Every structure is written in structure tokens, then in C-alpha cells.
């Protein structure tokens, strides 16, 4: 059986472009050592699932609408996703942008929580994308990992 390694850009683990570069490079190196020569065909990097643009969060002080750009203490998801996309391209692994798609699904959030997603919902589409990539219906490096 083949191993498929899926990792995602997330603020829980990455604080800066430099930190993400170090961590993702370590993931790629571990995959190379543990999966073997065709490791590139067995690694998928997903973009961050950021909160949607028009989200409102209820606080004790009323409704808050987050900014479209990072506030002090927030992570710059656009920067992190760009770094991850570039690193994935340089390494020759599959990168799937789920941020854009999930941002269009404001209905997929928990009540008053713009950073987490409900199931079933938008993440089901992500698994469908991965499944179709594995079957070769989407031309990603991972498509070459599974025989048809």
C-alpha cells in the first residue's frame, strides 16, 4: 500500500514565512527519506482554511467583523499560502488551494466562529478534490502515485 502524506498550512504551526519554510522543508525531507524515490507523488499540501471575508463574531462587546488583512497578532494567511504554494512547486509536490473555495462558503462555519468549519460541508469538497487528484482526474503530481 502507498502512503499519501497530507499537510496543511495553519496558524497553529506557522508564525512566519521563514518558520513555514523551515517546517515544510523538514516535512519534505522526512517524506523523501521515509517514502522513497517517488515521494513527490505522495505528498499533498493544502492551503490554510482561513475565516471567510464577511464573517461576524459575537463577543461580550457586540458583533465584530474581522478585517480582510492581518491584525496585530493574526497570521498573514495570504503570505503563508503563497510561501507554501512556492515551496510545493519547487519540490514538485501537489498543492491544493482550498482557501479560495472555502472563503466562498460562509454557511460552512460554526456559529460565531469564522476559523473552523462544519462537517458535512466545505471540507467534503476538499476530500473530493484529493480523491479526484489521486484518480488522475486533476493533473497534480499525486495523480501519478496511484495506478489506474
Amino acid at each position: 500500500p502507498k502512503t499519501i502524506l497530507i499537510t496543511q498550512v495553519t496558524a497553529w504551526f506557522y508564525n512566519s514565512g521563514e518558520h513555514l519554510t523551515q517546517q515544510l522543508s523538514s516535512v519534505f525531507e522526512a517524506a523523501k527519506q521515509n517514502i522513497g524515490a517517488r515521494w513527490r507523488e505522495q505528498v499533498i499540501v493544502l492551503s490554510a482554511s482561513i475565516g471567510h471575508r464577511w464573517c461576524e463574531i459575537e463577543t461580550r462587546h457586540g458583533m465584530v467583523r474581522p478585517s480582510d488583512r492581518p491584525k496585530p497578532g493574526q497570521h498573514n494567511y495570504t503570505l503563508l499560502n503563497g510561501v507554501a504554494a512556492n515551496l510545493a512547486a519547487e519540490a514538485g509536490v501537489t498543492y491544493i488551494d482550498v482557501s479560495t473555495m472555502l472563503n466562498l462558503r460562509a454557511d460552512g462555519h460554526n456559529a460565531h466562529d469564522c476559523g473552523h468549519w462544519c462537517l458535512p460541508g466545505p471540507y467534503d469538497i476538499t476530500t473530493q478534490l484529493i480523491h479526484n487528484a489521486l484518480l488522475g482526474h486533476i493533473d497534480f503530481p499525486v495523480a501519478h502515485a496511484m495506478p489506474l
Side-chain angles (χ1 to χ4, degrees):
K2 299 245 182 197
T3 298
I4 302 296
L5 173 65
I6 301 173
T7 188
Q8 184 172 24
V9 177
T10 175
W12 290 106
F13 302 108
Y14 311 120
N15 300 320
S16 67
E18 294 83 19
H19 188 226
L20 174 59
T21 298
Q22 292 171 345
Q23 295 298 311
L24 209 47
S25 295
S26 295
V27 168
F28 294 161
E29 187 59 35
K32 183 178 180 180
Q33 291 176 6
N34 294 296
I35 295 175
R38 297 182 67 178
W39 69 275
R40 287 177 180 84
E41 298 172 358
Q42 295 171 241
V43 175
I44 298 172
V45 178
L46 300 175
S47 66
S49 58
I50 56 179
H52 64 84
R53 182 176 177 159
W54 303 114
C55 183
E56 291 183 339
I57 300 171
E58 186 175 358
T59 68
R60 326 183 264 173
H61 306 290
M63 297 299 280
V64 175
R65 179 169 291 195
S67 160
D68 289 346
R69 57 190 174 278
K71 294 183 253 182
Q74 278 188 327
H75 299 282
N76 186 336
Y77 291 107
T78 303
L79 169 74
L80 295 176
N81 286 338
V83 168
N86 289 336
L87 288 171
E90 288 172 12
V93 303
T94 297
Y95 176 81
I96 300 177
D97 174 12
V98 297
S99 304
T100 302
M101 171 185 63
L102 293 176
N103 198 37
L104 299 174
R105 290 291 309 270
D107 62 318
H109 284 292
N110 295 313
H112 312 301
D113 183 351
C114 301
H116 296 90
W117 299 89
C118 300
L119 293 174
Y123 262 112
D124 294 327
I125 298 169
T126 301
T127 58
Q128 289 175 0
L129 284 172
I130 293 169
H131 181 244
N132 282 303
L134 289 170
L135 292 177
H137 300 307
I138 304 172
D139 188 22
F140 287 137
V142 74
H144 306 287
M146 306 300 273
L148 294 177

